[in-house]
């Protein structure tokens, strides 16, 4: 026999499916390309600048506080957080705020918990919650879509820690119109993306398509978005049935605001949502209920962010009480 | 309606690439005899056998050289006519050195097995058949090497209604069972008949994954008229060959945790084991050889070989043209549950279903934090939570490990296979099981 090669000893298994965390993150990032493209189409150069700013903030903090040097950067999770955060922001938000949101999202949302896999709350939403608390006016100033691509509102380029000039031609989002004026936007504008709203939330059809793609490729657990959407539909139908026309119907509730973006990209974050199939159903049901409660009875028109953050807090409890039944064990 | 009917299978599990194309059409060929054979006294689960020969003693092919030491133990026979050269510590495929009988082949012997007096099986009582199987050293040939007679001896007060043969061969690369079923369907079926007779089973089932259509067809052709035997095609999935998964696939029943298939009135044996039992009663030949798949990207000429037990792995690989220089690992058994070897002088033992030469190391070095994606939960055929159990094992939380059923893990490695963070989950499960066994008694 040919001189025997140097054999190495490891333990079984000797095969691996070949999936890595990095690959998972980049699959999600790849699925975001159409969403970002839609944001750029509807909101122009501002969308590009906000994505860059939020991502820069997230990646910079990840790099600065990573004990392993640049290793954690390579998994792509900070990049993903930055892009997702940007997609939840109003198009006229100053870039420096987006940068700060990304930095806080990774810093307070992830790094201090111990890094990837250890955080309780969705980092992108932590960043957004911070911005909502710190800059409520900027976070609820909605630019009208449909400007020419290169047109940049002065607010976008405002100096850091300077108040943006009140230069934006503002409008209300469909949820705002519904809540305060009882005007219901039709389904087609909601799906087509021609309404006002955050960068990545308006184009419903694009989000649905990206969600289906991720579900088919089994990048995420389909139960999480499905249960969330079913729950919103159920509770809004319930309100409609008992409360009448004063409440928005399920179709409007499902397609408006950040629900589709949240259901496809936030509810499905594996780290901050339950592991078990039963847990996924409970998590989604809770998110849906909270979205309806906050939107209908809360002070703000939108409630997706708080619904998800609140359910994130409950995730460890859900995990504990939905441990899988062992094969051949009690309770079939 | 037929289109809606799904192929039977168990729940959860994984789909590794099959890698069977290199050998699945190659007929079983006999491995030539070599000079020296190493027969470990422990090549089955249970107590090692006790030698009944002395160095210098001449032995015949098929002669008993070590007898079972107790009920959960099995005999060892000489695979060749020759001389006992030594009884000493030798490397064993599990990685330790173990006591073994070394037999030097007689270069002038014909090496034909000579039948010894064994009564025809027709007038044997079930207990006698069970004892004969133990004396013949027949153990499970699927890989775990559990002594076959232990499962066939039905304890008083229990009964067996169904006998299942495991023809799944769900491990990648392996085709030994496939070829046995395709080439020797009558032996497999005769073995199943004997198992049914011994245990009193009313019905027999042979579970075969649908990637072996020729085996399914040949077995179906050869079922004797009136025999209540069914060949059950199963979806291709790992680890379907595990007893509990196989029973789940065929009957949709769960073996209760901590219990045995016997508690569901079922006995499971491997198809190769059934053929070995049939051979014993047809010719009197004990378990002195087995079919081994030699495959993998590092092997020049992949093959299915009938190898005398005790043949050094080095000789088997040489017979197949040797290893390519790119080989990084040689694995005995399948790549999901087998053992990597440092020393190619280890022998083929009764549980060696394959010799697989791999050129790539499993990525064990780049472990990332767990992102709680739940893929391991979806893979685990025992419905365990491997990510949690791995964390508990690292923290040495023995009571929690026990409470979360770590002892139900049979180490199929599906969790490690799917983990995107490359966490060595099954290795940590082994650590956890050992912790519970050492310290968990009180």
């Amino acid at each position: 026999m040919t001189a025997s090669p140097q054999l190495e000893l490891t333990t079984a298994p000797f095969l691996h499916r070949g999936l890595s965390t990095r690959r998972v993150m980049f699959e999600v990032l790849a699925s975001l390309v159409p969403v970002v493209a839609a944001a750029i189409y509807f909101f122009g150069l501002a969308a590009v600048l906000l994505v860059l700013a939020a991502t820069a903030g997230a990646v910079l903090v990840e790099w600065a506080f990573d004990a392993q040097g640049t290793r954690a950067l390579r998994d792509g999770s900070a990049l993903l957080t930055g892009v997702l955060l940007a997609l939840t922001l109003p198009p006229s938000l100053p870039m420096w705020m987006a940068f700060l949101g990304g930095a806080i999202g990774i810093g307070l949302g992830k790094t201090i918990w111990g890094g990837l896999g250890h955080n309780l709350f969705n980092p992108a939403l932590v960043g957004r919650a911070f911005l909502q608390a710190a800059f409520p006016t900027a976070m609820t100033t909605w630019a009208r879509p449909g400007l020419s691509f290169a047109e940049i509102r002065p607010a976008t380029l405002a100096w850091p820690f300077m108040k943006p000039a009140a230069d934006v031609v503002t409008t209300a989002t469909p949820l705002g119109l519904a809540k305060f004026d009882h005007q219901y936007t039709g389904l087609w504008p909601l799906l087509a993306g021609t309404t006002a709203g955050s960068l990545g939330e308006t184009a419903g059809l694009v989000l649905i398509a990206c969600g289906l793609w991720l579900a088919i490729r089994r990048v995420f657990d389909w139960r999480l978005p499905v249960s969330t959407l079913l729950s919103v539909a159920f509770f809004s139908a319930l309100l409609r049935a008992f409360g009448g026309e004063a409440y928005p119907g399920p179709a409007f509730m499902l397609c408006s605001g950040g629900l589709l973006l949240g259901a496809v990209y936030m509810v499905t974050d594996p780290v901050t949502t339950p592991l078990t199939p039963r847990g996924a159903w409970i998590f989604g049901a809770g998110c849906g209920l909270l979205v309806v409660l906050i939107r209908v009875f809360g002070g703000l028109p939108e409630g997706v962010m708080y619904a998800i953050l609140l359910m994130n807090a409950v995730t460890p409890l859900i995990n504990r009480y939905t441990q899988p039944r062992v094969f051949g064990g009690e309770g079939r | 309606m037929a289109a809606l009917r799904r192929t039977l299978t168990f729940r959860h599990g994984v789909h590794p690439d099959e890698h069977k194309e290199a050998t699945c059409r190659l007929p079983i060929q006999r491995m030539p005899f070599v000079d020296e054979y190493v027969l470990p006294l422990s090549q089955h689960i249970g107590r090692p056998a006790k030698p009944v020969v002395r160095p210098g003693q001449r032995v015949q092919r098929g002669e008993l050289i070590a007898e079972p030491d107790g009920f959960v133990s099995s005999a060892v026979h000489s695979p060749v006519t020759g001389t006992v050269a030594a009884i000493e510590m030798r490397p064993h495929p599990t990685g330790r050195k173990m006591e073994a009988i070394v037999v030097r082949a007689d270069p002038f012997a014909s090496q034909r097995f000579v039948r010894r007096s064994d009564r025809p099986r027709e007038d044997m009582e079930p207990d006698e058949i069970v004892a004969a199987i133990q004396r013949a050293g027949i153990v499970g040939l699927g890989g775990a090497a559990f002594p076959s007679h232990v499962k066939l001896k039905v304890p008083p007060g229990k009964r067996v209604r169904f006998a299942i043969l495991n023809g799944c061969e769900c491990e990648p690369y392996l085709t030994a069972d496939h070829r046995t079923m395709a080439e020797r369907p009558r032996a497999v079926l005769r073995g199943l008949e004997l198992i049914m007779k011994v245990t009193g089973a009313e019905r027999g089932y042979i579970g075969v994954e649908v990637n072996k259509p020729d085996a399914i067809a040949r077995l179906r052709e050869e079922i004797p008229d009136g025999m209540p035997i069914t060949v059950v095609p199963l979806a291709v999935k790992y680890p379907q060959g595990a007893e509990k998964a196989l029973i789940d696939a065929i009957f949709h029943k769960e073996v209760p945790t901590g219990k045995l298939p016997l508690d569901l009135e079922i006995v499971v044996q491997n198809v190769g084991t059934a053929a070995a039992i049939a051979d014993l009663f047809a010719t009197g030949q004990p378990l002195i050889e087995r079919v081994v798949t030699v495959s993998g990207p590092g092997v020049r000429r992949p093959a299915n070989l009938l190898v005398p037990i005790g043949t050094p792995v080095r000789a088997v690989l040489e017979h197949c043209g040797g290893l390519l220089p790119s080989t990084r690992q040689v694995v005995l058994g399948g790549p999901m549950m087998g053992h990597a070897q440092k020393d190619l002088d280890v022998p083929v033992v009764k549980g060696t279903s394959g010799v697989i030469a791999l050129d790539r190391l499993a990525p064990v070095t780049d472990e990332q934090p767990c992102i709680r994606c739940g893929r391991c939960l979806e893979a685990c055929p025992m419905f365990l939570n491997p990510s949690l159990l791995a964390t508990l094992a690292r923290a040495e939380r023995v009571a929690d490990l026990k409470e979360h059923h770590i002892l139900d893990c049979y180490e199929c490695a599906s969790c490690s296979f799917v983990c995107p963070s490359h966490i060595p989950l099954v290795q940590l499960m082994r650590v956890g099981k050992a912790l519970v066994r050492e310290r968990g008694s009180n």
Side-chain angles (χ1 to χ4, degrees), chain A residues 1-25 27 68 71-77 113-121 214 217-224 268-277 312 315-316 319-320 322-332, chain B residues 11 16-17 19 172-173 244-245 248 252-257 300 314 317-318 322-325 327-331 334-344 358 360-364 366-375 377-378 381-385 387-388 404-405 408 413 416-422 426-427 430:
Chain A
M1 185 159 61
T2 35
S4 94
Q6 191 60 39
L7 296 179
E8 306 197 30
L9 277 183
T10 57
T11 54
F14 303 99
L15 298 178
H16 192 274
R17 193 176 152 209
L19 200 65
S20 61
T21 46
R22 181 184 155 86
R23 173 97 184 267
V24 174
M25 300 294 170
E27 288 241 12
Q68 307 172 47
R71 210 187 128 186
L73 274 186
R74 270 184 270 142
D75 65 35
S77 59
W113 296 83
L116 181 65
H118 301 290
N119 48 304
L120 185 55
F121 297 100
L214 288 170
R217 292 184 59 85
R218 291 173 169 251
V219 178
F220 61 45
D221 183 355
W222 59 271
R223 293 175 192 90
L224 287 158
T268 52
D269 170 21
V271 174
T272 57
T273 57
L275 272 170
T276 60
N312 285 163
T315 292
N319 272 335
R320 173 175 298 185
T322 59
Q323 279 304 305
R325 169 191 69 85
V326 68
F327 180 96
E330 301 291 312
R332 291 185 70 175
Chain B
R11 289 159 290 171
D17 290 340
H19 296 293
Y173 291 105
K244 292 184 177 189
D248 188 18
H252 302 300
K253 276 189 187 164
E254 296 180 14
V255 178
T257 166
R300 280 182 218 270
R314 184 183 302 281
L317 286 167
E318 269 169 28
L323 293 173
L324 293 170
T327 303
R328 303 289 299 280
Q329 284 189 314
V330 170
V331 174
M336 295 296 286
M337 288 186 81
H339 292 276
Q341 302 299 317
K342 190 87 182 165
D343 181 350
L344 294 181
L358 299 171
R360 217 166 4 127
L361 279 183
V364 289
D366 56 343
E367 185 181 341
Q368 299 273 311
C370 173
I371 54 168
R372 287 182 256 169
C373 65
R375 284 179 172 84
L377 273 88
E378 274 181 40
M382 293 307 290
F383 308 166
L384 303 177
N385 184 342
S387 67
L388 174 68
H404 287 95
H405 301 281
D408 283 81
S416 287
F417 175 77
V418 294
C419 179
S421 298
H422 301 274
V426 73
Q427 286 87 336
R430 287 184 202 124

Side-chain angles (χ1 to χ4, degrees), chain A residues 290-317:
Chain A
L290 289 172
V291 167
V292 173
L293 284 179
I294 299 172
R295 277 186 181 180
V296 174
F297 302 107
L300 291 168
E302 175 62 295
V304 172
M305 172 182 77
Y306 291 120
I308 296 172
L309 286 173
L310 286 168
M311 288 310 290
N312 285 163
V314 192
T315 292
L317 208 62

Side-chain angles (χ1 to χ4, degrees), chain B residues 51-255:
Chain B
V52 295
V53 291
R54 287 180 324 279
Q57 187 174 332
R58 196 170 161 76
V59 288
Q60 295 290 316
R61 178 162 151 87
E63 186 178 332
L64 183 79
I65 55 174
E67 61 183 16
D69 184 14
F71 183 59
V72 187
S73 184
S74 194
V76 179
H77 301 75
S78 177
V80 287
T81 298
T83 318
V84 176
I87 302 177
E88 61 189 21
M89 300 298 274
R90 287 289 185 111
H92 188 275
T94 54
R96 280 163 294 180
K97 283 200 166 186
M98 288 199 192
E99 195 163 35
I101 300 175
V102 182
V103 178
R104 202 171 298 279
D106 176 353
F108 302 107
S110 77
Q111 300 300 4
R112 175 166 298 157
F113 173 73
V114 184
R115 187 193 171 100
R116 260 164 286 280
S117 61
D118 239 324
R119 279 162 59 203
R121 66 169 200 256
E122 283 71 25
D123 45 78
M124 286 175 97
E125 292 296 314
D127 275 358
E128 292 178 86
I129 297 179
V130 169
I133 288 170
Q134 183 181 22
R135 265 202 320 279
I138 296 177
V139 301
L141 297 181
F146 189 79
S148 301
H149 66 274
V150 178
K151 287 202 249 177
L152 296 177
K153 172 106 184 149
V154 185
K158 299 266 186 186
R159 67 166 187 162
V160 166
R161 290 179 59 203
F162 307 111
I164 303 181
L165 287 193
N166 169 16
C168 295
E169 202 165 50
C170 52
E171 276 265 14
Y173 291 105
L174 303 187
T175 54
D177 289 348
H178 180 174
R179 293 312 307 176
T180 301
M181 290 185 283
E183 295 177 38
R184 308 192 63 216
R186 282 190 199 164
V188 172
L189 289 161
R190 263 205 323 274
L192 178 54
E193 269 181 77
L194 274 160
I195 290 165
M196 290 167 69
K197 179 186 171 186
V198 172
T199 57
E202 302 150 16
R203 290 203 61 89
Y205 295 87
I206 309 178
V208 188
E209 293 191 345
V210 293
N211 58 358
K212 306 166 188 66
D214 50 339
I216 293 172
R218 291 290 291 122
L219 285 168
R220 281 182 169 160
E221 281 166 28
E222 300 289 348
I223 295 175
D225 285 336
M227 272 308 285
I229 292 177
T230 314
V231 179
V232 188
L234 300 170
V236 180
K237 204 157 66 152
Y238 178 87
Q240 196 145 239
E243 275 188 350
K244 292 184 177 189
L246 185 56
I247 292 169
D248 188 18
I250 296 179
F251 292 111
H252 302 300
K253 276 189 187 164
E254 296 180 14
V255 178

